[in-house]
Amino acid sequence: MGLVDKLKELEEELARTQKNKATEFHIGVLKSKIAKIKKELSSPKKAGKRSTGFLIKKAGDATVALVGLPSTGKSTLLNALTGARSKTAEYAFTTLNCIPGTLDYKGAKIQILDLPGIVEGAKDGVGRGKEVIAAAKAADLILLVLDVFQPFFRDKLVKELYNSGIRLDSSPPQISLEKRKTGGIQITSMVKEQGITDKLIIAILKEYSIFNAHIILHQKITEDELIDFLDKTAVYIPSITVINKIDLKEPPADINFDYIAISAQNNVGLDLLKEKIFQKLNLIRIYTRSKFREEDDIPLMIRKGQTVADVCKKIHKDLYANFKYALVWGKSVKFPAQKVGLEHVLEDGDVIQIIKK
Ligand SMILES: Nc1nc2c(ncn2[C@@H]2O[C@H](COP(=O)(O)OP(=O)(O)OP(=O)(O)O)[C@@H](O)[C@H]2O)c(=O)[nH]1
Ligand SMILES: [Mg+2]
């Protein structure tokens, strides 16, 4: 039996199996077998013909992908946010390619990608689903674009992305693993409730050919999280949900998720959306200063939590190689012109002068 058939068989079995105490173990093992085959099938070597995807160059300080059903207004939104001219029309699948635009906001250049609409089954290649998902995977933020007539499609969208390895608004599971030569599997749980049984952990590790290791769980975990940790193919991306076309109808009152209500066509809610995009991307502004000039007016944008080393690399790789120390003014230091090293974490609005060897 080929891998594709095997995958289908396992997925069918998983769908058939009711989850309860008695089947928990079996489900965990099935899931790890499925994850393994998926990984094998998606590795370029094995795939035979590889999908070329869209030809998009990452540009700017961060990239945002618009994901949603056809005709929800993604292209209209791109045009409104960036002044791009992606074709819009009332029929589905107007956009067949990836159209980029740039949003200039508070000194940041944010690349926004308008993508073809995705429908259920996108991950299996329905529409240009696979390429859309590949583009979304590379983004720093995903905008889920719903329209006011189908806001509850959100669940399906999130599920479709999940099944393609995109974890929205969560962080990688806190697990560490140290492989050993002998001694079997040792499990240390740092939390009261482990989430899954030792037996299942050992069985899943076995699927990944790990027979001797010390695994430390820093949080309560599910079998999916353990598989993600071992599989290493999942990506963790923050998201914002927008409900578009509020000029036509009020969003239903029973919506149970956070969203921003907009009308892309009438420019309603877009200022708030821009601000949210900026905040979610965690971009901060750094001003550089040299011996010859006062600080530049045009800030350099980095992500919150990044360091002097990241700034150096962003300016020029030589600067990083020849770094001696830096002087920093602003929120991240105790006094002006404080001398710092490469690991120093910067804050929004800091001014930095880099001294070379
Ligand atoms: N009333 C109203 N119509 C809108 C709004 N935004 C978009 N539309 C209309 O909805 C239709 C679809 O818009 P598009 O921007 O092409 O939608 P899309 O999501 O890019 O569609 P695909 O490319 O097919 O996936 C067009 O007729 C737009 O004019 C809005 O805020 N209000
Ligand atoms: Mg479109």
Side-chain angles (χ1 to χ4, degrees):
M1 194 188 304
L3 277 181
V4 176
D5 293 330
K6 182 84 195 152
L7 178 63
K8 208 168 151 232
E9 197 182 274
L10 290 169
E11 282 184 325
E12 278 165 10
E13 191 181 342
L14 180 64
R16 269 200 314 271
T17 314
Q18 290 277 342
K19 185 158 188 165
N20 59 44
K21 272 269 164 266
T23 57
E24 221 172 50
F25 178 79
H26 184 57
I27 287 178
V29 174
L30 275 178
K31 283 182 175 172
S32 51
K33 286 193 196 303
I34 289 170
K36 245 185 83 182
I37 296 183
K38 275 191 182 166
K39 191 173 181 175
E40 239 174 283
L41 284 174
S42 66
S43 83
K45 270 201 313 286
K46 293 266 168 64
K49 65 171 196 290
R50 220 185 328 160
S51 127
T52 48
F54 301 114
L55 288 174
I56 18 156
K57 266 208 201 91
K58 272 211 165 197
D61 300 305
T63 301
V64 180
L66 304 181
V67 178
L69 275 174
S71 298
T72 49
K74 298 179 294 301
S75 300
T76 309
L77 179 58
L78 172 85
N79 297 347
L81 289 174
T82 70
R85 296 178 72 176
S86 187
K87 186 181 171 196
T88 65
E90 64 280 9
Y91 50 83
F93 293 112
T94 306
T95 309
L96 296 171
N97 230 312
C98 174
I99 317 285
T102 307
L103 165 64
D104 280 293
Y105 190 74
K106 290 190 171 172
K109 291 212 176 305
I110 301 169
Q111 182 184 45
I112 300 192
L113 303 178
D114 178 24
L115 296 163
I118 69 168
V119 289
E120 258 178 282
K123 71 174 169 53
D124 305 316
V126 178
R128 295 197 69 184
K130 277 189 181 166
E131 290 101 317
V132 173
I133 281 165
K137 260 192 175 170
D140 301 300
L141 173 69
I142 291 178
L143 231 59
L144 299 173
V145 184
L146 307 165
D147 77 18
V148 74
F149 301 102
Q150 288 160 291
F152 296 108
F153 188 74
R154 185 180 188 276
D155 285 349
K156 290 201 176 129
L157 211 51
V158 171
K159 203 165 158 200
E160 196 70 36
L161 294 175
Y162 186 93
N163 288 334
S164 322
I166 299 178
R167 309 284 174 261
L168 293 180
D169 307 303
S170 55
S171 38
Q174 304 276 306
I175 301 173
S176 35
L177 182 114
E178 185 199 328
K179 286 191 193 170
R180 292 178 172 168
K181 291 232 161 60
T182 56
I185 302 294
Q186 187 198 342
I187 300 165
T188 307
S189 199
M190 308 301 279
V191 283
K192 255 205 207 112
E193 235 186 305
Q194 187 168 296
I196 53 174
T197 61
D198 284 5
K199 191 177 150 206
L200 181 52
I201 293 173
I202 291 167
I204 292 174
L205 288 173
K206 193 175 135 209
E207 287 299 324
Y208 285 85
S209 306
I210 299 170
F211 304 100
N212 299 295
H214 181 199
I215 180 165
I216 305 173
L217 311 172
H218 303 276
Q219 64 169 72
K220 182 179 172 185
I221 58 158
T222 62
E223 67 265 24
D224 295 316
E225 285 168 330
L226 179 57
I227 293 168
D228 280 349
F229 169 74
L230 295 166
D231 214 60
K232 297 185 175 70
T233 51
V235 293
Y236 298 82
I237 306 178
S239 77
I240 295 174
T241 302
V242 301
I243 295 185
N244 189 29
K245 309 193 187 180
I246 56 157
D247 53 296
L248 298 178
K249 186 174 168 288
E250 287 238 344
D254 57 339
I255 290 181
N256 58 352
F257 50 82
D258 284 342
Y259 65 92
I260 300 177
I262 62 164
S263 167
Q265 188 175 275
N266 298 354
N267 209 345
V268 175
L270 300 189
D271 287 338
L272 176 66
L273 177 58
K274 287 177 192 173
E275 179 58 29
K276 281 274 178 242
I277 291 173
F278 184 77
Q279 282 174 14
K280 273 268 174 173
L281 284 170
N282 267 325
L283 290 167
I284 60 173
R285 288 160 286 184
I286 306 298
Y287 298 86
T288 54
R289 170 186 274 187
S290 75
K291 268 198 293 231
F292 314 105
R293 288 167 298 157
E294 281 297 291
E295 62 252 36
D296 281 345
D297 292 340
I298 303 162
L300 194 80
M301 307 296 302
I302 60 169
R303 312 291 292 275
K304 203 172 166 67
Q306 285 192 309
T307 61
V308 171
D310 294 305
V311 169
C312 292
K313 285 181 199 159
K314 202 157 179 171
I315 299 172
H316 201 279
K317 61 179 190 305
D318 287 351
L319 203 52
Y320 178 69
N322 298 318
F323 178 87
K324 194 167 167 201
Y325 63 89
L327 301 173
V328 173
W329 292 256
K331 277 188 258 170
S332 75
V333 286
K334 295 202 185 75
F335 52 88
Q338 189 178 321
K339 208 167 148 177
V340 301
L342 283 171
E343 316 75 46
H344 181 76
V345 176
L346 294 158
E347 293 277 349
D348 187 35
D350 279 358
V351 175
I352 182 169
Q353 180 170 0
I354 295 162
I355 314 295
K356 291 198 282 187
K357 278 185 219 157

